[in-house]
Amino acid sequence: MSRQNNTSVIILAAGQGTRMKSTLPKVLHDVAGRPMLGYAMLLARHVANNNVAVVVGHGADQVRAYLVKEKAHFDPFLVVEQTQQLGTGHAVQQAYPALKQHSSQAASKYVIINGDTPLLTSETLAALVNYHQSEGAMLTLLTTVLTDPSGYGRILRGNEGSVCRVVEDRDASSEEKRVSEINVGTYVVEAGFLESVLGQLHPQNAQGEYYITDIIEIAVQQGEKVLAWVTEDSLETTGVNTRVHLAVVEKEMRRRICERMMLGGVTILDPDRVVVDHHVTVGRDTVLHPGVILEGETHVGENCTIRANSRLTHSVLHRGVRIHDACVLEEATVEEEAVIGPMAHLRPGNVIHKKAKIGNFVELKKTEVGEGSKVNHLSYLGDTWIGRNVNVGAGTITCNYDGYRKERTVIEDNVFIGSDVQLIAPVTIGEGALIAAGTTVTEDVPADALGISRIPQTNKEGTAARRRAMLDPSGLPSNGKNCTTEDLPTSTPVIQKEQEST
Ligand code: UD1
Ligand code: CA
């Protein structure tokens, strides 16, 4: 889209958002993983070739902190504080002089947008600005027609159809409330007129606020050219005042994201049930099954498959990775053709190298698994470095925490670890070593050695038979004639039965 000459933008973002019933300022509520204000900022950057002012007030410190964090995407912009939120007109009254003072070049016109309309597109905004320019208007506002216009300012038109004024829902008569054309809260105003009109606003209305919408009536009364650009996509104009609106906007934003991905070559089996945040990228020929959630800075390569109900947060998958059902990956890096899950939990800080395999019910934390290595069943590995072609047996656990400190475990290339092994960190298993099933490893194991620690097994001849004989057919204890105390199991089925019957 071409940039408009000398256009400054004012974003209204100071309101409390009382109807959200939240401690978070309204404009910081996320839509598809980005605060609503972020959408307004990006939109502003599309249309402004001059400065952008953001009016903050309620929760100003939090809003400012967000803007600073994302500065690189939004610059240049100016933050103007509206210490008391006396209305949208009052907010513009604060922004205008600040913008005028801080802009090297005087703006010839101003675009004013609400910070709570995240679905508004740059195409629609461009159409509004172009219409304003080509018609030589003094003031042009964006409107749309809704089946349920409640809550919005209504557009009141005269006999010839020209816009006369905007009446707020709370100030409207029952007849005015029946008007279905609404004010989106997006305006293009010539600079000179804006400057002259701001001093004329007064708070004589139901809310006792200074309304920016009053500039419309004033312009009409002064004989200025006031136009409305009616957009047909009314969903796009949804203003978020409650969490119900937030859900509507969220759903539409996610639909757009999924659509963009599908058009880019990603298969999404059920777009209604796939949740993808704004920043996420997904490569071609990747397949997303129902219930997949991709959050934050997640980047998925080509030819991956992510099966049902898996969530990836700030994770990177290289090409050809398969994530089976119901996995959780946080801040993970998974290299080519590795396989994860089902039901694996990768807590932050894991790197899974090429063709490695992490199987069922495996939890990993700050662990690196080398190329082709396997951790297939029921394991917890934390603070662990694993080389290539290692086999970690079922039920292997690293004991990485002694109650005070976290310690590291190192498992070198080609190690074979049997089932049910505990590795008490810090410990190193040398290259090619073998650890017997059931071993508790407390000391380093040299390369190519066998590490084994087991209580020697004893078989007591006939004990099982005697124990059976101890029980009569009704399951009640016998007189114990045939068995010695040593033979008695610590918890017999008989005792369990008695407990069950109480
Ligand atoms: C506003 C419009 C209404 C329009 C609707 C579209 C006015 C008076 N009304 O109503 O005609 O149909 O948007 O969504 O403008 N804000 C400030 N400072 C304030 C008050 C609000 O910066 O003192 C900001 C808010 O953070 C918000 C925006 O202005 O981003 C709109 O405020 P809100 O209270 O949501 O106005 P609506 O009642 O929705
Ligand atoms: Ca609003």
Side-chain angles (χ1 to χ4, degrees):
M1 177 190 134
S2 66
R3 292 185 166 204
Q4 312 300 326
N5 280 334
N6 283 326
T7 305
S8 282
V9 178
I10 299 173
I11 299 174
L12 307 184
Q16 185 179 356
T18 323
R19 292 163 280 182
M20 293 294 280
K21 310 238 164 74
S22 175
T23 53
L24 190 68
K26 176 167 77 173
V27 292
L28 292 188
H29 279 263
D30 272 354
V31 173
R34 172 185 282 157
M36 273 192 260
L37 181 56
Y39 295 93
M41 294 299 288
L42 294 174
L43 198 57
R45 282 267 57 89
H46 266 277
V47 79
N49 68 339
N50 216 314
N51 225 335
V52 173
V54 191
V55 186
V56 304
H58 182 79
D61 290 345
Q62 273 171 285
V63 178
R64 225 184 262 272
Y66 165 67
L67 291 169
V68 168
K69 186 163 77 76
E70 298 290 322
K71 203 172 182 306
H73 298 111
F74 304 151
D75 253 354
F77 66 90
L78 189 71
V79 179
V80 178
E81 190 151 345
Q82 184 193 20
T83 41
Q84 271 186 297
Q85 287 79 59
L86 301 178
T88 49
H90 182 255
V92 178
Q93 284 172 348
Q94 316 305 302
Y96 182 80
L99 259 180
K100 201 176 167 189
Q101 194 192 336
H102 287 92
S103 303
S104 47
Q105 216 187 356
S108 60
K109 60 180 164 305
Y110 286 78
V111 170
I112 303 169
I113 57 181
N114 283 350
D116 64 354
T117 315
L119 294 175
L120 200 62
T121 62
S122 54
E123 289 79 12
T124 300
L125 193 55
L128 173 75
V129 174
N130 289 340
Y131 181 58
H132 173 87
Q133 290 200 141
S134 62
E135 295 294 320
M138 187 61 82
L139 164 57
T140 308
L141 67 156
L142 184 63
T143 76
T144 195
V145 176
L146 298 179
T147 36
D148 175 15
S150 59
Y152 290 95
R154 309 297 205 283
I155 309 297
L156 304 182
R157 290 180 181 259
N159 292 337
E160 292 87 45
S162 59
V163 175
C164 297
R165 66 190 179 98
V166 171
V167 61
E168 288 307 298
D169 190 70
R170 275 184 260 196
D171 299 301
S173 65
S174 50
E175 195 186 331
E176 287 164 342
K177 279 189 174 159
R178 280 200 291 274
V179 172
S180 57
E181 187 184 5
I182 63 103
N183 170 33
V184 175
T186 307
Y187 322 87
V188 191
V189 197
E190 292 300 304
F193 173 72
L194 184 63
E195 179 161 340
S196 71
V197 78
L198 284 175
Q200 300 176 46
L201 302 177
H202 57 76
Q204 269 82 59
N205 50 55
Q207 299 183 81
E209 287 186 355
Y210 296 87
Y211 291 165
I212 191 60
T213 44
D214 285 352
I215 67 172
I216 291 144
E217 187 175 12
I218 297 171
V220 171
Q221 281 169 356
Q222 291 181 3
E224 304 295 357
K225 189 166 184 180
V226 176
L227 296 176
W229 176 255
V230 189
T231 174
E232 283 181 1
D233 185 349
S234 53
L235 192 54
E236 202 186 294
T237 63
T238 308
V240 175
N241 294 329
T242 68
R243 310 245 186 179
V244 176
H245 304 138
L246 186 66
V248 169
V249 162
E250 177 81 23
K251 191 167 183 186
E252 168 61 9
M253 194 65 84
R254 296 208 180 280
R255 189 198 63 76
R256 286 185 192 173
I257 293 169
C258 284
E259 186 176 278
R260 191 186 70 217
M261 291 199 162
M262 292 186 285
L263 292 173
V266 177
T267 295
I268 302 182
L269 297 187
D270 184 354
D272 287 342
R273 289 163 64 206
V274 164
V275 171
V276 181
D277 272 4
H278 226 277
H279 293 292
V280 171
T281 57
V282 180
R284 284 178 183 211
D285 292 320
T286 282
V287 180
L288 305 180
H289 285 246
V292 166
I293 300 176
L294 305 177
E295 291 180 334
E297 289 291 340
T298 290
H299 301 285
V300 177
E302 295 184 359
N303 273 301
C304 294
T305 301
I306 307 180
R307 300 194 68 103
N309 302 323
S310 285
R311 169 168 70 84
L312 278 63
T313 306
H314 304 308
S315 291
V316 175
L317 306 189
H318 296 184
R319 72 187 333 272
V321 168
R322 272 187 297 147
I323 309 286
H324 286 295
D325 310 61
C327 293
V328 175
L329 278 72
E330 294 160 303
E331 296 168 35
T333 301
V334 185
E335 291 184 355
E336 279 167 53
E337 293 174 44
V339 181
I340 313 283
M343 289 161 288
H345 184 186
L346 273 59
R347 288 165 49 203
N350 298 295
V351 179
I352 312 302
H353 288 286
K354 265 168 87 171
K355 296 188 177 178
K357 192 168 179 307
I358 308 301
N360 314 254
F361 301 105
V362 172
E363 175 184 345
L364 302 181
K365 190 216 74 173
K366 286 193 185 155
T367 287
E368 189 168 337
V369 179
E371 186 174 336
S373 290
K374 293 178 185 138
V375 187
N376 269 340
H377 326 271
L378 300 158
S379 280
Y380 167 65
L381 304 179
D383 306 297
T384 302
W385 183 89
I386 300 178
R388 293 161 174 241
N389 300 318
V390 167
N391 181 83
V392 176
T396 295
I397 286 172
T398 55
C399 310
N400 59 326
Y401 184 52
D402 60 8
Y404 299 96
R405 283 167 308 187
K406 302 275 168 67
E407 301 285 4
R408 279 181 65 74
T409 300
V410 173
I411 304 172
E412 295 181 350
D413 294 351
N414 303 314
V415 164
F416 186 96
I417 297 183
S419 298
D420 192 25
V421 164
Q422 300 90 49
L423 299 149
I424 302 190
V427 73
T428 297
I429 315 294
E431 186 171 348
L434 173 64
I435 308 296
T439 295
T440 301
V441 180
T442 54
E443 286 168 26
D444 290 355
V445 178
D448 294 324
L450 166 70
I452 178 163
S453 80
R454 279 186 195 154
I455 298 167
Q457 182 173 336
T458 46
N459 294 336
K460 297 186 179 179
E461 292 292 336
T463 298
R466 283 196 293 281
R467 181 177 166 279
R468 265 196 310 279
M470 189 177 76
L471 309 172
D472 72 15
S474 70
L476 293 170
S478 72
N479 59 13
K481 256 195 307 229
N482 297 323
C483 90
T484 66
T485 333
E486 190 195 345
D487 288 333
L488 277 173
T490 47
S491 165
T492 66
V494 177
I495 290 166
Q496 281 172 13
K497 258 232 150 76
E498 282 170 352
Q499 283 172 341
E500 275 164 25
S501 64
T502 56

